[in-house]
Coordinates of all heavy atoms in Angstrom, one line a residue:
M1 N 59.5 30.9 -117.7 CA 59.3 30.5 -116.3 C 58.9 29.0 -116.3 O 58.1 28.5 -117.0 CB 58.2 31.3 -115.8 CG 58.7 32.5 -115.1 SD 57.7 33.0 -113.7 CE 57.2 34.6 -114.2
S2 N 59.6 28.3 -115.4 CA 59.2 26.9 -115.2 C 58.0 26.8 -114.2 O 58.1 27.3 -113.1 CB 60.4 26.1 -114.7 OG 60.9 26.7 -113.5
S3 N 57.0 26.1 -114.7 CA 55.8 26.0 -113.9 C 56.0 25.0 -112.7 O 55.3 25.1 -111.7 CB 54.6 25.6 -114.7 OG 54.9 24.4 -115.5
K4 N 56.8 23.9 -113.0 CA 56.9 22.9 -111.9 C 58.1 23.2 -111.0 O 59.1 22.4 -111.0 CB 57.1 21.5 -112.6 CG 55.8 20.8 -112.8 CD 56.0 19.3 -113.0 CE 54.6 18.6 -113.1 NZ 54.8 17.2 -113.4
R5 N 58.1 24.3 -110.4 CA 59.2 24.6 -109.5 C 58.8 24.6 -108.1 O 57.7 25.1 -107.7 CB 59.7 26.0 -109.9 CG 61.1 26.2 -109.5 CD 61.7 27.5 -110.1 NE 62.7 28.0 -109.2 CZ 62.6 29.1 -108.5 NH1 61.5 29.8 -108.6 NH2 63.5 29.6 -107.8
N6 N 59.6 24.0 -107.2 CA 59.3 24.0 -105.8 C 57.9 23.4 -105.4 O 57.2 23.9 -104.6 CB 59.4 25.4 -105.2 CG 60.8 25.9 -105.1 OD1 61.7 25.0 -105.1 ND2 61.0 27.2 -105.0
E7 N 57.6 22.4 -106.1 CA 56.3 21.7 -105.9 C 56.2 21.1 -104.5 O 55.2 21.1 -103.9 CB 56.1 20.7 -106.9 CG 54.6 20.6 -107.3 CD 54.3 19.5 -108.4 OE1 55.3 18.9 -108.8 OE2 53.2 19.4 -108.7
K8 N 57.4 20.6 -104.0 CA 57.3 19.9 -102.7 C 57.6 20.8 -101.6 O 57.5 20.4 -100.4 CB 58.3 18.7 -102.7 CG 57.6 17.5 -103.2 CD 58.5 16.3 -102.9 CE 57.8 15.0 -103.3 NZ 58.7 13.8 -103.1
S9 N 58.1 22.0 -101.8 CA 58.5 22.9 -100.7 C 57.5 23.9 -100.3 O 57.8 25.0 -100.0 CB 59.8 23.6 -101.2 OG 59.5 24.5 -102.2
T10 N 56.2 23.4 -100.2 CA 55.2 24.3 -99.7 C 55.5 24.4 -98.2 O 55.8 23.4 -97.5 CB 53.8 23.7 -99.9 OG1 53.9 22.3 -99.8 CG2 53.3 24.1 -101.3
R11 N 55.3 25.5 -97.7 CA 55.6 25.8 -96.2 C 54.7 24.9 -95.4 O 53.5 24.8 -95.5 CB 55.3 27.2 -95.9 CG 56.6 28.1 -96.2 CD 56.2 29.5 -96.0 NE 55.1 29.9 -97.0 CZ 54.3 30.9 -96.8 NH1 54.4 31.6 -95.7 NH2 53.4 31.3 -97.7
I12 N 55.3 24.2 -94.4 CA 54.5 23.4 -93.5 C 54.2 24.2 -92.3 O 55.0 24.3 -91.3 CB 55.3 22.1 -93.1 CG1 55.7 21.3 -94.3 CG2 54.4 21.3 -92.2 CD1 56.7 20.3 -94.1
I13 N 53.1 24.9 -92.4 CA 52.6 25.7 -91.3 C 51.4 25.0 -90.7 O 50.7 24.4 -91.4 CB 52.2 27.1 -91.7 CG1 51.6 27.1 -93.1 CG2 53.5 28.0 -91.7 CD1 50.8 28.4 -93.4
P14 N 51.3 25.1 -89.4 CA 50.1 24.4 -88.8 C 48.8 25.0 -89.3 O 48.6 26.2 -89.3 CB 50.2 24.7 -87.3 CG 51.2 25.8 -87.2 CD 52.1 25.7 -88.4
H15 N 48.0 24.1 -89.8 CA 46.8 24.6 -90.4 C 45.7 23.5 -90.3 O 46.0 22.3 -90.0 CB 46.9 24.9 -91.9 CG 47.2 23.7 -92.8 ND1 48.4 23.1 -92.9 CD2 46.3 23.0 -93.5 CE1 48.3 22.1 -93.7 NE2 47.0 22.0 -94.1
K16 N 44.5 23.8 -90.4 CA 43.4 22.8 -90.5 C 42.6 23.1 -91.7 O 42.9 24.0 -92.5 CB 42.6 22.9 -89.2 CG 42.1 24.2 -88.8 CD 41.4 24.1 -87.5 CE 40.7 25.3 -87.0 NZ 40.0 25.2 -85.8
H17 N 41.6 22.3 -91.9 CA 40.8 22.4 -93.1 C 39.3 22.8 -92.8 O 38.8 22.4 -91.7 CB 40.8 21.1 -93.9 CG 42.1 20.8 -94.4 ND1 42.5 21.1 -95.6 CD2 43.2 20.1 -93.8 CE1 43.8 20.7 -95.8 NE2 44.2 20.1 -94.7
C18 N 38.8 23.6 -93.6 CA 37.4 24.0 -93.5 C 36.5 22.7 -93.4 O 36.6 21.9 -94.4 CB 37.0 24.9 -94.6 SG 35.2 25.4 -94.6
P19 N 35.7 22.5 -92.4 CA 34.9 21.3 -92.3 C 33.8 21.2 -93.4 O 33.2 20.2 -93.6 CB 34.3 21.4 -90.9 CG 34.3 22.9 -90.5 CD 35.5 23.4 -91.3
V20 N 33.6 22.3 -94.1 CA 32.5 22.3 -95.1 C 33.1 22.0 -96.5 O 32.7 21.1 -97.2 CB 31.8 23.7 -95.1 CG1 30.7 23.7 -96.2 CG2 31.2 23.9 -93.7
C21 N 34.1 22.8 -96.9 CA 34.6 22.7 -98.2 C 36.0 22.1 -98.3 O 36.5 21.8 -99.3 CB 34.5 24.0 -99.0 SG 35.6 25.3 -98.3
G22 N 36.7 22.0 -97.1 CA 38.0 21.3 -97.1 C 39.1 22.2 -97.5 O 40.2 21.7 -97.6
V23 N 38.9 23.5 -97.6 CA 40.0 24.4 -97.9 C 40.9 24.6 -96.7 O 40.4 24.6 -95.6 CB 39.4 25.7 -98.4 CG1 40.4 26.8 -98.4 CG2 38.8 25.6 -99.8
A24 N 42.2 24.7 -96.9 CA 43.1 24.9 -95.8 C 42.9 26.3 -95.2 O 42.8 27.3 -95.9 CB 44.5 24.7 -96.3
I25 N 42.8 26.3 -93.9 CA 42.6 27.6 -93.2 C 43.5 27.6 -92.0 O 44.0 26.6 -91.5 CB 41.1 27.7 -92.7 CG1 40.7 26.4 -92.0 CG2 40.2 28.0 -93.9 CD1 39.4 26.5 -91.3
P26 N 43.9 28.8 -91.6 CA 44.7 29.0 -90.4 C 44.1 28.4 -89.2 O 42.9 28.3 -89.0 CB 44.9 30.5 -90.3 CG 43.8 31.1 -91.1 CD 43.5 30.1 -92.2
M27 N 45.0 28.0 -88.2 CA 44.5 27.4 -87.0 C 43.5 28.1 -86.2 O 42.7 27.6 -85.5 CB 45.7 27.0 -86.1 CG 46.6 25.9 -86.6 SD 45.7 24.3 -86.7 CE 45.9 23.7 -85.0
D28 N 43.6 29.5 -86.2 CA 42.8 30.3 -85.4 C 41.4 30.5 -86.0 O 40.5 31.2 -85.4 CB 43.4 31.6 -85.0 CG 43.8 32.4 -86.3 OD1 44.1 31.7 -87.3 OD2 43.8 33.6 -86.2
K29 N 41.2 30.0 -87.2 CA 39.9 30.1 -87.9 C 39.2 28.8 -87.8 O 39.7 27.7 -87.8 CB 40.2 30.6 -89.3 CG 40.2 32.1 -89.5 CD 40.0 32.4 -91.0 CE 39.8 33.9 -91.2 NZ 39.6 34.1 -92.6
E30 N 37.9 29.0 -87.8 CA 37.0 27.8 -87.7 C 36.5 27.4 -89.1 O 36.5 26.2 -89.5 CB 35.8 28.2 -86.9 CG 35.1 27.1 -86.1 CD 35.9 26.2 -85.3 OE1 36.8 26.7 -84.5 OE2 35.8 25.0 -85.4
Y31 N 36.3 28.4 -90.0 CA 35.8 28.1 -91.3 C 36.5 29.1 -92.3 O 37.1 30.1 -91.9 CB 34.3 28.3 -91.5 CG 33.5 27.5 -90.5 CD1 33.1 28.1 -89.3 CD2 33.2 26.2 -90.7 CE1 32.4 27.4 -88.4 CE2 32.5 25.5 -89.8 CZ 32.1 26.0 -88.6 OH 31.4 25.3 -87.7
C32 N 36.5 28.8 -93.6 CA 37.2 29.6 -94.6 C 36.4 30.9 -94.8 O 36.9 31.9 -95.1 CB 37.4 28.9 -95.8 SG 35.9 28.5 -96.8
S33 N 35.1 30.8 -94.6 CA 34.2 32.0 -94.9 C 33.0 31.9 -94.0 O 32.7 30.9 -93.4 CB 33.8 32.1 -96.3 OG 33.0 31.0 -96.7
S34 N 32.3 33.0 -93.9 CA 31.1 33.1 -93.1 C 30.0 32.2 -93.7 O 29.1 31.7 -93.1 CB 30.6 34.5 -93.0 OG 30.4 35.1 -94.2
E35 N 30.1 32.0 -95.1 CA 29.1 31.2 -95.8 C 29.3 29.7 -95.3 O 28.3 29.1 -95.0 CB 29.3 31.3 -97.3 CG 28.7 32.4 -97.9 CD 29.1 32.6 -99.3 OE1 29.0 31.7 -100.1 OE2 29.7 33.7 -99.6
C36 N 30.5 29.3 -95.2 CA 30.8 27.9 -94.8 C 30.3 27.8 -93.3 O 29.8 26.7 -92.9 CB 32.2 27.6 -94.9 SG 32.6 27.0 -96.6
A37 N 30.6 28.8 -92.5 CA 30.2 28.7 -91.1 C 28.7 28.6 -91.0 O 28.2 27.7 -90.2 CB 30.6 30.0 -90.4
E38 N 27.9 29.3 -91.8 CA 26.5 29.2 -91.8 C 26.0 27.8 -92.3 O 25.1 27.2 -91.7 CB 25.9 30.3 -92.8 CG 24.7 31.0 -92.2 CD 24.3 32.1 -93.1 OE1 24.9 33.2 -93.0 OE2 23.4 32.0 -93.9
T39 N 26.7 27.3 -93.3 CA 26.3 26.0 -93.8 C 26.5 24.9 -92.8 O 25.6 24.1 -92.5 CB 27.2 25.7 -95.1 OG1 27.1 26.7 -96.0 CG2 26.7 24.4 -95.7
D40 N 27.6 25.0 -92.1 CA 27.9 24.0 -91.1 C 27.0 24.1 -89.9 O 26.5 23.1 -89.4 CB 29.4 24.2 -90.6 CG 29.9 22.9 -89.9 OD1 29.6 21.9 -90.5 OD2 30.5 23.0 -88.8
M41 N 26.6 25.3 -89.5 CA 25.6 25.6 -88.5 C 24.3 24.9 -88.8 O 23.7 24.2 -88.0 CB 25.4 27.1 -88.2 CG 26.6 27.7 -87.5 SD 26.3 27.6 -85.7 CE 25.2 29.1 -85.5
K42 N 23.9 25.1 -90.0 CA 22.6 24.6 -90.5 C 22.7 23.0 -90.4 O 21.7 22.4 -90.0 CB 22.3 25.0 -91.9 CG 21.6 26.4 -91.9 CD 21.3 26.8 -93.4 CE 21.0 28.3 -93.4 NZ 21.0 28.8 -94.8
Q43 N 23.8 22.5 -90.9 CA 23.9 21.1 -91.0 C 23.9 20.5 -89.5 O 23.3 19.5 -89.3 CB 25.3 20.7 -91.6 CG 25.1 20.6 -93.2 CD 26.4 20.3 -93.9 OE1 27.4 20.3 -93.3 NE2 26.3 20.1 -95.2
K44 N 24.6 21.2 -88.6 CA 24.7 20.7 -87.2 C 23.3 20.8 -86.6 O 22.9 19.9 -85.9 CB 25.6 21.6 -86.4 CG 27.0 21.0 -86.5 CD 28.0 21.9 -85.6 CE 29.4 21.4 -85.8 NZ 30.3 22.5 -85.4
K45 N 22.5 21.8 -86.9 CA 21.2 21.9 -86.4 C 20.3 20.8 -86.9 O 19.5 20.2 -86.1 CB 20.6 23.2 -86.8 CG 20.7 24.3 -85.7 CD 19.9 25.5 -86.1 CE 20.3 26.7 -85.2 NZ 19.7 27.9 -85.7
Q46 N 20.5 20.5 -88.2 CA 19.7 19.4 -88.8 C 20.1 18.0 -88.1 O 19.2 17.2 -87.8 CB 20.0 19.3 -90.3 CG 18.7 19.1 -91.1 CD 19.0 19.4 -92.6 OE1 20.1 19.4 -93.0 NE2 17.9 19.7 -93.3
L47 N 21.4 17.9 -87.9 CA 21.9 16.6 -87.3 C 21.4 16.5 -85.9 O 21.0 15.4 -85.5 CB 23.4 16.7 -87.3 CG 24.1 15.3 -87.5 CD1 24.0 14.8 -88.9 CD2 25.5 15.4 -87.0
D48 N 21.4 17.6 -85.2 CA 20.9 17.7 -83.8 C 19.4 17.2 -83.8 O 19.0 16.5 -82.9 CB 21.0 19.1 -83.3 CG 21.5 19.1 -81.9 OD1 22.5 18.3 -81.6 OD2 21.0 19.8 -81.1
R49 N 18.6 17.7 -84.7 CA 17.2 17.4 -84.8 C 17.1 15.9 -85.0 O 16.2 15.2 -84.4 CB 16.6 18.2 -85.9 CG 15.4 19.0 -85.4 CD 14.7 19.7 -86.5 NE 15.0 21.1 -86.6 CZ 14.7 21.9 -87.6 NH1 14.1 21.4 -88.7 NH2 15.0 23.1 -87.6
M50 N 17.8 15.4 -86.0 CA 17.8 14.0 -86.3 C 18.1 13.1 -85.1 O 17.5 12.1 -84.8 CB 18.8 13.7 -87.4 CG 18.3 14.1 -88.8 SD 17.3 12.9 -89.6 CE 18.6 11.8 -90.2
R51 N 19.2 13.5 -84.4 CA 19.6 12.8 -83.2 C 18.5 12.7 -82.2 O 18.3 11.7 -81.5 CB 20.9 13.5 -82.7 CG 22.0 12.4 -82.5 CD 23.3 13.1 -82.0 NE 24.3 13.2 -83.1 CZ 25.3 14.0 -83.1 NH1 25.5 14.8 -82.1 NH2 26.2 13.9 -84.0
K52 N 17.9 13.9 -82.0 CA 16.8 14.0 -81.0 C 15.7 13.0 -81.3 O 15.1 12.3 -80.5 CB 16.3 15.4 -80.9 CG 17.0 16.2 -79.8 CD 16.5 17.6 -79.7 CE 17.4 18.5 -79.0 NZ 17.1 19.9 -79.1
L53 N 15.4 13.0 -82.6 CA 14.3 12.1 -83.1 C 14.7 10.7 -82.9 O 13.8 9.9 -82.4 CB 14.2 12.4 -84.6 CG 12.7 12.2 -85.2 CD1 11.9 13.4 -84.8 CD2 12.8 12.0 -86.7
V54 N 15.9 10.3 -83.1 CA 16.4 8.9 -82.9 C 16.3 8.6 -81.4 O 15.8 7.5 -81.0 CB 17.8 8.8 -83.4 CG1 18.4 7.4 -82.9 CG2 17.9 8.8 -84.9
Y55 N 16.7 9.5 -80.5 CA 16.6 9.3 -79.1 C 15.2 9.1 -78.7 O 14.9 8.2 -77.9 CB 17.2 10.5 -78.3 CG 18.7 10.6 -78.3 CD1 19.3 11.8 -78.4 CD2 19.4 9.4 -78.3 CE1 20.7 11.9 -78.4 CE2 20.8 9.5 -78.3 CZ 21.5 10.7 -78.3 OH 22.8 10.8 -78.4
I56 N 14.3 9.9 -79.2 CA 12.9 9.8 -78.9 C 12.3 8.4 -79.3 O 11.6 7.7 -78.6 CB 12.1 10.9 -79.5 CG1 12.4 12.3 -78.8 CG2 10.5 10.7 -79.4 CD1 11.9 13.5 -79.6
M57 N 12.7 8.0 -80.5 CA 12.3 6.7 -81.0 C 12.8 5.6 -80.2 O 12.0 4.6 -79.9 CB 12.8 6.5 -82.5 CG 11.7 7.1 -83.5 SD 12.4 7.3 -85.1 CE 12.7 5.6 -85.6
I58 N 14.0 5.7 -79.7 CA 14.6 4.6 -78.9 C 13.9 4.6 -77.5 O 13.5 3.5 -77.0 CB 16.1 4.9 -78.7 CG1 16.9 4.6 -80.0 CG2 16.6 4.0 -77.5 CD1 18.3 5.1 -80.0
A59 N 13.6 5.8 -77.0 CA 12.9 5.9 -75.7 C 11.5 5.3 -75.9 O 11.0 4.5 -75.0 CB 12.8 7.4 -75.3
V60 N 10.8 5.6 -77.0 CA 9.5 5.0 -77.2 C 9.5 3.5 -77.3 O 8.7 2.8 -76.7 CB 8.9 5.6 -78.5 CG1 7.6 4.9 -78.9 CG2 8.5 7.1 -78.2
M61 N 10.5 3.0 -78.0 CA 10.7 1.6 -78.1 C 10.9 0.9 -76.8 O 10.4 -0.2 -76.5 CB 11.8 1.3 -79.1 CG 11.4 1.6 -80.5 SD 11.9 0.6 -81.9 CE 13.5 0.0 -81.6
I62 N 11.8 1.5 -76.0 CA 12.1 1.0 -74.7 C 10.8 1.0 -73.8 O 10.4 0.0 -73.2 CB 13.2 1.8 -74.0 CG1 14.5 1.5 -74.7 CG2 13.3 1.4 -72.5 CD1 15.6 2.4 -74.3
A63 N 10.1 2.1 -73.9 CA 8.8 2.2 -73.1 C 7.8 1.2 -73.6 O 7.2 0.5 -72.7 CB 8.2 3.6 -73.3
L64 N 7.7 1.0 -74.9 CA 6.8 0.0 -75.4 C 7.2 -1.4 -75.0 O 6.4 -2.3 -74.6 CB 6.8 0.0 -76.9 CG 5.8 1.0 -77.6 CD1 6.0 1.1 -79.1 CD2 4.4 0.5 -77.3
T65 N 8.5 -1.7 -75.0 CA 9.0 -3.0 -74.5 C 8.7 -3.3 -73.1 O 8.2 -4.3 -72.7 CB 10.5 -3.1 -74.7 OG1 10.9 -2.7 -76.1 CG2 11.1 -4.5 -74.5
I66 N 8.9 -2.3 -72.3 CA 8.6 -2.4 -70.8 C 7.1 -2.6 -70.6 O 6.6 -3.5 -69.9 CB 9.0 -1.1 -70.1 CG1 10.6 -1.1 -70.0 CG2 8.5 -1.1 -68.7 CD1 11.1 0.3 -69.6
L67 N 6.3 -1.9 -71.4 CA 4.8 -2.0 -71.3 C 4.4 -3.4 -71.7 O 3.6 -4.0 -71.1 CB 4.2 -0.9 -72.3 CG 2.9 -0.3 -71.8 CD1 3.2 0.6 -70.7 CD2 2.2 0.4 -73.0
M68 N 5.0 -3.9 -72.9 CA 4.6 -5.2 -73.3 C 5.0 -6.3 -72.3 O 4.3 -7.2 -72.1 CB 5.4 -5.5 -74.7 CG 4.9 -4.6 -75.8 SD 3.9 -5.4 -77.0 CE 5.1 -6.2 -77.9
M69 N 6.2 -6.1 -71.7 CA 6.7 -7.1 -70.7 C 5.8 -7.1 -69.5 O 5.5 -8.2 -69.0 CB 8.1 -6.7 -70.3 CG 9.1 -7.4 -71.3 SD 10.7 -6.7 -71.1 CE 11.2 -7.4 -69.5
S70 N 5.3 -5.9 -69.1 CA 4.5 -5.9 -67.9 C 3.1 -6.4 -68.2 O 2.4 -6.9 -67.3 CB 4.4 -4.4 -67.4 OG 3.9 -3.6 -68.4
F71 N 2.7 -6.3 -69.5 CA 1.4 -6.8 -69.9 C 1.4 -8.4 -70.1 O 0.4 -9.1 -69.9 CB 0.9 -6.2 -71.2 CG 0.0 -5.0 -71.0 CD1 0.4 -3.8 -71.5 CD2 -1.2 -5.1 -70.2 CE1 -0.5 -2.7 -71.2 CE2 -2.0 -4.0 -70.0 CZ -1.6 -2.8 -70.5
G72 N 2.6 -8.8 -70.4 CA 2.8 -10.3 -70.6 C 2.6 -11.1 -69.4 O 2.4 -12.3 -69.5
R73 N 2.7 -10.5 -68.2 CA 2.7 -11.3 -67.0 C 1.3 -11.8 -66.7 O 0.3 -11.0 -66.7 CB 3.1 -10.4 -65.9 CG 4.6 -10.5 -65.7 CD 5.0 -9.8 -64.4 NE 6.4 -10.1 -64.1 CZ 6.9 -9.8 -62.9 NH1 6.2 -9.3 -62.0 NH2 8.1 -10.1 -62.6
Ligands
LIG101 ZN1 34.8 26.5 -96.5

């Protein structure tokens, strides 16, 4: 048997990749497995928390700037 046969003729079917591990998955699927779905959910939650923290920090900085400006008068 020749191992290097039809290397280029892989079927071109619409597909996407698992956002966690990058494995090709069908279009109607979000992740390759429930484990990857859970991992991504956790990561998203963590990212969400980080984003909120950044927003709060920016808001505090703006508030401080306004406070400093009003005190500078
Ligand atoms: Zn995956």
